[in-house]
Amino acid sequence: MSNCIQNRYDFVLLFDVQDGNPNGDPDAGNLPRVDAETGKGLVTDVCLKRKVRNYVGLKHGEKPPYEIYVKEKAVLTNQQEKAYIALGLDPKGKDGKRKGGDDVDKARDWMCRNFFDIRTFGAVMGLKEANCGQVRGPVQITFARSVDPVVTLEHSITRMAVATEAEAEKQDGDNRTMGRKFTVPYGLYVAHGFVSASLAGQTGFSEGDLSLLWESLNNMFEHDRSAARGMMATRKLVVFKHESNMGNAPAHVLFDRVQAELKDGVTAPRSFADYDISVNSDNLPSGVTILEV
Amino acid sequence: MKNFCLEVWGDFACFTRPEMKVERVSYDVITPSSARAIFEAILWKPAIRWHVRRIEVLAPIKWINVRRNEVGAVISERNVKTAMNQGKGNLGLNIEEERQQRASLFLRDVKYRIHAAFEMTDKAGDGDTSVKFSEMFERRASKGQCFNQPYLGCREFSANFKLVNPKEETAPSISECRDLGWMLYDLDYGDPKDPKPLFFRAELKNGVIEVPAFDSEEVRG
């Protein structure tokens, strides 16, 4: 696959939430995820990947080559049958000479070509043939952590209606129920990510896919509004581009160049303006450039 | 064989115990197979095979519990082939229908110093010498280069790494002794269709695990 990216990239994603729940914890009755030891908020990698998938699905109507494998119903614009890009399949595969192994590879390549999320994040296919049916995607994202500890607020809310007749009778027609909702008043979160050029070569992840990835990271929260999320936004995406496909510097050294600090005198951050963000671009290791996309 | 030493660290890690992999529970420390994968993420060719010799635990063993929504299905190869041949079909998964909630017990704030060496395999070509790969590895590791970012058990737990000069003064390992019980050593890929797990009795002595050789008696299938 010729159009694959040739450079390694590492990126820092800063996003924030205001009066919302960025990622509920199913273990804790949907409270925002919090690292109990430090009080810092967490957002899982899969949560962010879900939003990238949704954005790309929305933008391209889930049509190949930007089909999305792991779908969420809310964004389903599903025509039951889709025509896939014609492949010009090699009929030789059918003559029985090269069964098995070859076909798995072909099926995997074909999935990579049609599905953006498989090309990007990888997928597990047909586990039966031990170890040969997997795709490791080039893009790897870590848990996001908040810069400072977050507090979780619990709000009791009322609904002026009930769901069933029985409930209405029990309340003598008062018809009110109460619910709870949890928010983080404010949290600035940092996630780290990696794009491996070597793995991109294996799935056909192209320059076009890369810009679509940056675009989706920047815009994913704009299309993920809901009652639970409050105000969420990507604040900054700093991309370190390595000249070499293997990379020119350790990722952690580059990540340390992006710092978010509370401004003097602020004790309880409530907006992005309470933070100073600095990207140190002095004396970059040779072969590394910073892109702010 | 030349010994190489890497310091690796990260916020989280999960070296899943094979007997508890539905709701993942991590081993207390990194397994030799996971450690090997870190070296391989930096440099691997069919001509070489990495052997982990020793694992030093540099940070106290701490835990965190995380529950996530996960997908409970794998892509069926047959469906893919049908769609390929017909040029149409419906292959996506609806996450609402295939959802599983799984709790996991991860390690947090881990740091290890791992010693490993590679040996040449019979796949080595004429130009392949151990000097060539040694230099390649040193060059890559000291510059932070890698094939893909190494990780601590699962890909979401990326690992930072640093090549350590063995002569350099280094941070001490934790002063803890613990019998870690039977632990996964690695998978034996002798028969690629059916990899066999191998185990060894791991013992933490003053924060250090000596890893037996692949073919030694301490490693059992």
Side-chain angles (χ1 to χ4, degrees):
Chain A
M1 292 169 213
S2 53
N3 195 19
C4 303
I5 58 163
Q6 301 298 325
N7 304 84
R8 176 181 134 185
Y9 298 84
D10 298 312
F11 61 91
V12 181
L13 173 74
L14 282 95
F15 61 92
D16 65 353
V17 59
Q18 192 156 23
D19 297 321
N21 182 356
N23 188 199
D25 185 350
D27 248 357
N30 207 35
L31 262 102
R33 289 182 194 274
V34 172
D35 178 338
E37 217 166 323
T38 60
K40 290 182 178 178
L42 293 174
V43 172
T44 59
D45 58 311
V46 280
C47 172
L48 298 172
K49 279 150 75 172
R50 171 81 265 151
K51 295 192 198 325
V52 170
R53 287 188 165 101
N54 287 356
Y55 178 82
V56 173
L58 209 57
K59 179 165 183 200
H60 289 281
E62 302 195 350
K63 288 208 186 63
Y66 298 105
E67 255 272 53
I68 294 298
Y69 189 72
V70 185
K71 296 163 195 275
E72 194 173 359
K73 270 191 186 153
V75 293
L76 249 190
T77 55
N78 199 0
Q79 321 93 311
Q80 275 310 306
E81 300 219 310
K82 284 191 194 85
Y84 288 110
I85 291 179
L87 263 179
L89 263 184
D90 179 10
K92 258 185 276 168
K94 280 187 186 155
D95 66 9
K97 270 189 202 157
R98 299 188 299 162
K99 269 204 169 150
D102 268 15
D103 270 12
V104 176
D105 286 350
K106 231 184 271 171
R108 191 171 43 202
D109 282 354
W110 185 83
M111 288 299 275
C112 283
R113 217 164 313 166
N114 286 284
F115 287 83
F116 177 82
D117 55 342
I118 296 181
R119 208 156 60 225
T120 307
F121 301 127
V124 177
M125 273 175 64
L127 267 183
K128 277 166 292 171
E129 343 288 281
N131 289 317
C132 62
Q134 288 187 33
V135 185
R136 262 198 310 169
V139 178
Q140 191 176 334
I141 299 177
T142 64
F143 277 27
R145 261 203 230 205
S146 66
V147 175
D148 290 297
V150 293
V151 287
T152 304
L153 301 183
E154 181 183 343
H155 312 272
S156 287
I157 48 177
T158 53
R159 178 171 71 167
M160 297 306 181
V162 288
T164 59
E165 274 304 329
E167 238 179 314
E169 268 166 40
K170 222 192 282 172
Q171 295 196 13
D172 294 328
D174 205 20
N175 290 6
R176 282 204 295 185
T177 47
M178 293 194 77
R180 292 188 308 166
K181 118 181 223 173
F182 303 100
T183 63
V184 167
Y186 185 78
L188 178 65
Y189 291 75
V190 181
H192 294 148
F194 313 89
V195 188
S196 154
S198 346
L199 291 176
Q202 295 177 7
T203 68
F205 184 81
S206 68
E207 291 290 345
D209 292 331
L210 184 73
S211 25
L212 182 56
L213 176 74
W214 302 145
E215 183 189 320
S216 58
L217 289 171
N218 272 319
N219 296 317
M220 58 189 180
F221 297 114
E222 307 297 327
H223 305 276
D224 186 58
R225 305 287 179 212
S226 78
R229 299 274 174 259
M231 273 298 292
M232 291 188 75
T234 297
R235 291 300 184 163
K236 206 174 192 75
L237 176 60
V238 183
V239 178
F240 296 96
K241 178 179 182 177
H242 300 253
E243 207 171 68
S244 139
N245 64 341
M246 288 287 165
N248 294 66
H252 65 273
V253 174
L254 299 176
F255 291 154
D256 284 347
R257 291 176 169 267
V258 182
Q259 292 292 338
E261 269 169 42
L262 268 186
K263 282 188 178 152
D264 281 348
V266 180
T267 47
R270 285 295 179 265
S271 80
F272 189 60
D274 291 339
Y275 281 95
D276 275 326
I277 312 292
S278 65
V279 182
N280 178 3
S281 55
D282 302 336
N283 302 319
L284 272 176
S286 69
V288 177
T289 45
I290 295 182
L291 319 170
E292 291 193 30
V293 287
Chain B
M1 274 190 289
K2 189 167 175 194
N3 233 329
F4 296 95
C5 178
L6 281 183
E7 239 169 56
V8 301
W9 67 100
D11 292 345
F12 304 100
C14 182
F15 311 106
T16 311
R17 289 172 183 270
E19 68 273 25
M20 287 185 274
K21 59 186 180 186
V22 175
E23 303 234 358
R24 294 182 200 95
V25 176
S26 175
Y27 279 115
D28 298 19
V29 297
I30 189 170
T31 60
S33 72
S34 242
R36 169 182 57 84
I38 292 178
F39 282 82
E40 286 177 352
I42 298 168
L43 175 75
W44 180 79
K45 300 269 166 174
I48 62 171
R49 185 182 298 131
W50 282 103
H51 293 289
V52 175
R53 296 267 174 83
R54 174 190 236 207
I55 295 165
E56 295 176 65
V57 183
L58 306 184
I61 299 168
K62 292 195 290 184
W63 301 90
I64 186 171
N65 195 345
V66 177
R67 184 182 287 265
R68 290 181 287 184
N69 290 325
E70 300 184 14
V71 170
V74 290
I75 301 172
S76 144
E77 199 194 305
R78 190 182 302 163
N79 292 352
V80 174
K81 280 188 206 148
T82 313
M84 273 164 81
N85 293 333
Q86 297 181 345
K88 63 183 182 183
N90 194 20
L91 286 173
L93 285 178
N94 284 327
I95 178 69
E96 279 84 356
E97 286 160 21
E98 306 285 352
R99 175 170 288 168
Q100 296 179 345
Q101 280 195 347
R102 295 191 185 182
S104 327
L105 195 56
F106 301 146
L107 295 168
R108 47 172 302 146
D109 299 327
V110 299
K111 188 165 188 181
Y112 305 106
R113 194 157 48 228
I114 304 167
H115 302 258
F118 65 79
E119 63 170 358
M120 307 297 289
T121 67
D122 47 17
K123 294 212 176 81
D126 293 338
D128 292 338
T129 62
S130 62
V131 176
K132 169 179 147 188
F133 291 121
S134 288
E135 284 178 0
M136 237 167 134
F137 180 80
E138 266 174 12
R139 208 163 48 230
R140 282 193 191 173
S142 56
K143 275 202 242 167
Q145 294 190 317
C146 52
F147 183 85
N148 60 280
Q149 189 70 28
Y151 46 90
L152 299 159
C154 303
R155 289 194 75 196
E156 59 270 38
F157 309 132
S158 72
N160 303 314
F161 64 93
K162 196 173 85 182
L163 184 69
V164 181
N165 181 346
K167 286 178 198 122
E168 219 172 287
E169 188 94 359
T170 43
S173 51
I174 56 169
S175 58
E176 203 180 316
C177 298
R178 214 189 266 198
D179 182 353
L180 300 172
W182 285 95
M183 186 168 167
L184 182 75
Y185 180 85
D186 209 328
L187 289 159
D188 178 2
Y189 293 98
D191 175 8
K193 281 208 157 51
D194 183 24
K196 297 243 178 337
L198 300 172
F199 294 87
F200 77 114
R201 188 68 185 255
E203 251 189 300
L204 194 64
K205 285 182 190 148
N206 288 317
V208 179
I209 300 171
E210 298 293 344
V211 182
F214 186 76
D215 49 8
S216 67
E217 257 182 28
E218 283 99 85
V219 177
R220 314 252 176 95

